[in-house]
C-alpha cells in the first residue's frame, strides 16, 4: 500500500500558501504574565471549576473537573495565583466560564505530573484513564474527548487506527512541523492507541506535499509491527475523517454514522503526540503548537504556546500586523472561524491564527446560480449543494433535509468552486442548524 498515492472522489485544490511557515522550526513562545483558561474546550459537557480566586495553583494541576462521560478535565498551564473564575469571551463566540491565572513564572510542577510507567506494563483501561485524566481532546479542531473515541460500544468491532497527518487546510503547518520534529512521540502515541483499542493495524496518513514529514515518520515507524506510513494525494479536504477512511481503507462511513461503524478510529498527529507526553512525562494537555500565518502577519511562525495565552500575545510575538488586516480567522481559511477580536485565548483546538490583508478578503458579487454543477462535482460527500442551499435560502428546511443536508461536513469546497460566489456552505450550515433544532424540539 505504501507505494500508492491514496485519495477520494471530489475535493478542490486551493492555493495552499504553506510556504510561509512549512520550513520554520517550532519555536517555544515565552509564557505570558496571565492566562485565561476556559472550562469548556472540548465537545461535550463543560467542566466545573475546582479552584477559586486567591488559590495558588501549579503547572499541570487540575482546575476543572469533567462532568459526564463526554467531557475532559482542564489543567493549569502555569503556576501562580487564581485571579478570577468568571465568564470570558471564547473562540466559539460565546462567553464561557474561565479560570484567570496570574503567572508566577516559576513553572512549579504539580505532584501529579510524573511518568505513568512503561507502555508494555499498562493495561488498555490504564491507557484510557491516563488519556482522560490528562484532558486530551482531539487536536485537529473538533476537540472530541479522546478517551470516548477509544471506548467504542461493544457492538462496534474496530480493527484499524488512522493517525491523521494530512493537514489539508491551506496555510496551516503545525502538524507538518510536529511530524518532522517529533516523529518518535507520534509513533509512541499510536502504539498506545492501538493497545487501548486492542487493534493490531495502524496507519499514519500524510499528504505527498510533505515529503520531509513522510521521511521522518517512515524512519520512526520502521520495524514496528502493524504500523505503516501511507501517502495521500494533495487535495482538500483529504484530512476529513470520512474522506481519510475512504482513501486509506476503501470503507465508507454510512450516512449519520461514525468511523467505528466501519471499524476505524481516527486521531490527529497532535493528539497522538499529547498521548505520548501524558504517558512518558505525565504532562496533561497544557500547551500546543499554533501556526500564526497569513500575508498580514509580519513574521509568520509555528509557536509552541501554553493553553490560555491570548491571541494578541501571539500576534505581537510575531511582530504584529503587516499592513492593514482584513480578516482574522482561528484555524484555516476553509473551515476556520472568523473572529472580530484578538482578545481570545488559545484553546486545545486552536491549530492556527490566520490574518489576511484587506485586498484578499473583499467580498465578491453574488450572482444567480447557473446550474453548472461544479459544486456537485467537488462535493466529497456526493451531495447536491446547489439544491440544499436553494431550499435553505427559501426556508424550506424539510426538503433540504431530504437532500441529506445533515451529511454535509461543511468543508466549503462547494463555495470555493462556485463561479457565481453563491453562499453555499453558509446556507447549508443554516439548514443543518434548523433541522437539528427541530429534532431537539420533537425529542
Amino acid at each position: 500500500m505504501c507505494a500508492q498515492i491514496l485519495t477520494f472522489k471530489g475535493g478542490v485544490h486551493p492555493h495552499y500558501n504553506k510556504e510561509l511557515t512549512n520550513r520554520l522550526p517550532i519555536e517555544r513562545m515565552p509564557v505570558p504574565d496571565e492566562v485565561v483558561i476556559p472550562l469548556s474546550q472540548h465537545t461535550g459537557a463543560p467542566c466545573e471549576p475546582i479552584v477559586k480566586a486567591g488559590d495558588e495553583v501549579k503547572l499541570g494541576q487540575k482546575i476543572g473537573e469533567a462532568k459526564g462521560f463526554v467531557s475532559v478535565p482542564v489543567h493549569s498551564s502555569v503556576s501562580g495565583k487564581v485571579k478570577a473564575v468568571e465568564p470570558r469571551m471564547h473562540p466559539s463566540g460565546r462567553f464561557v466560564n474561565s479560570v484567570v491565572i496570574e503567572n508566577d513564572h516559576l513553572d512549579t510542577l504539580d505532584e501529579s505530573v510524573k511518568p505513568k510507567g512503561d507502555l508494555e506494563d499498562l493495561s488498555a483501561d490504564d491507557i484510557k484513564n491516563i488519556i482522560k485524566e490528562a484532558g486530551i481532546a482531539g487536536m485537529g479542531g473538533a476537540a472530541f474527548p479522546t478517551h470516548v473515541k477509544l471506548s467504542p460500544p461493544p457492538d462496534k468491532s474496530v480493527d484499524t487506527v488512522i493517525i491523521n497527518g494530512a493537514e489539508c487546510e491551506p496555510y496551516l503547518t503545525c502538524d507538518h512541523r510536529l511530524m518532522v520534529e517529533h516523529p518518535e512521540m507520534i509513533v509512541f502515541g499510536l502504539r498506545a492507541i492501538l493497545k487501548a483499542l486492542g487493534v493490531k493495524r495502524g496507519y499514519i496518513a500524510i499528504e505527498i506535499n510533505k515529503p520531509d514529514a513522510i521521511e521522518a515518520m517512515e524512519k520512526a515507524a520502521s520495524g514496528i509491527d502493524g504500523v505503516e506510513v501511507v501517502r495521500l494525494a494533495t487535495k482538500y479536504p483529504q484530512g476529513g475523517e470520512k474522506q481519510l477512511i475512504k482513501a486509506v481503507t476503501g470503507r465508507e462511513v454510512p450516512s449519520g454514522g461514525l468511523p467505528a461503524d466501519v471499524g476505524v478510529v481516527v486521531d490527529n498527529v497532535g493528539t497522538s503526540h499529547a498521548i505520548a507526553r501524558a504517558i512518558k512525562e505525565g504532562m496533561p494537555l497544557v500547551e500546543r503548537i499554533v501556526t500564526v500565518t497569513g500575508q498580514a502577519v509580519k513574521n509568520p511562525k509555528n509557536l509552541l504556546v501554553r493553553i490560555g495565552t491570548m491571541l494578541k500575545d501571539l500576534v505581537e510575538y510575531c511582530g504584529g500586523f503587516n499592513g492593514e488586516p482584513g480578516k482574522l480567522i482561528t484555524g484555516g481559511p476553509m473551515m476556520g472561524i472568523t473572529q472580530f477580536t484578538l482578545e481570545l485565548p488559545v484553546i486545545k483546538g486552536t491549530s492556527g491564527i490566520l490574518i489576511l490583508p484587506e485586498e484578499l478578503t473583499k467580498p465578491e458579487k453574488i450572482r444567480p446560480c447557473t446550474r453548472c454543477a461544479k459544486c456537485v462535482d467537488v462535493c466529497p460527500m456526493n451531495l447536491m449543494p446547489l439544491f440544499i442551499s436553494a431550499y435553505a435560502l427559501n426556508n424550506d428546511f424539510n426538503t433540504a433535509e431530504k437532500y441529506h443536508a445533515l451529511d454535509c461536513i461543511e468543508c466549503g469546497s462547494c463555495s470555493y468552486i462556485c463561479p457565481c460566489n453563491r453562499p453555499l456552505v453558509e446556507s447549508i450550515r443554516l439548514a443543518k442548524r434548523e433541522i437539528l433544532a427541530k429534532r431537539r424540539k420533537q425529542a
Side-chain angles (χ1 to χ4, degrees), residues 3-62:
Q4 289 181 278
I5 296 175
L6 309 173
T7 191
F8 63 99
K9 176 190 167 295
V12 293
H13 297 276
H15 298 294
Y16 287 98
N17 291 299
K18 291 178 183 282
E19 67 280 0
L20 292 172
T21 52
N22 63 0
R23 294 186 183 277
L24 300 179
I26 299 165
E27 191 175 327
R28 181 177 282 280
M29 183 180 156
V31 186
D33 294 334
E34 180 183 287
V35 291
V36 177
I37 304 176
L39 290 165
S40 179
Q41 302 182 43
H42 50 267
T43 300
C47 292
E48 290 291 330
I50 53 175
V51 294
K52 61 183 185 306
D55 286 355
E56 297 284 343
V57 294
K58 296 178 179 175
L59 171 60
Q61 178 180 332
K62 191 188 291 186

Side-chain angles (χ1 to χ4, degrees), residues 95-113:
F95 278 91
V96 168
N97 209 20
S98 305
V99 180
V100 183
I101 303 172
E102 184 179 8
N103 184 9
D104 63 11
H105 293 282
L106 297 176
D107 272 356
T108 307
L109 275 182
D110 188 65
E111 291 74 14
S112 63
V113 180

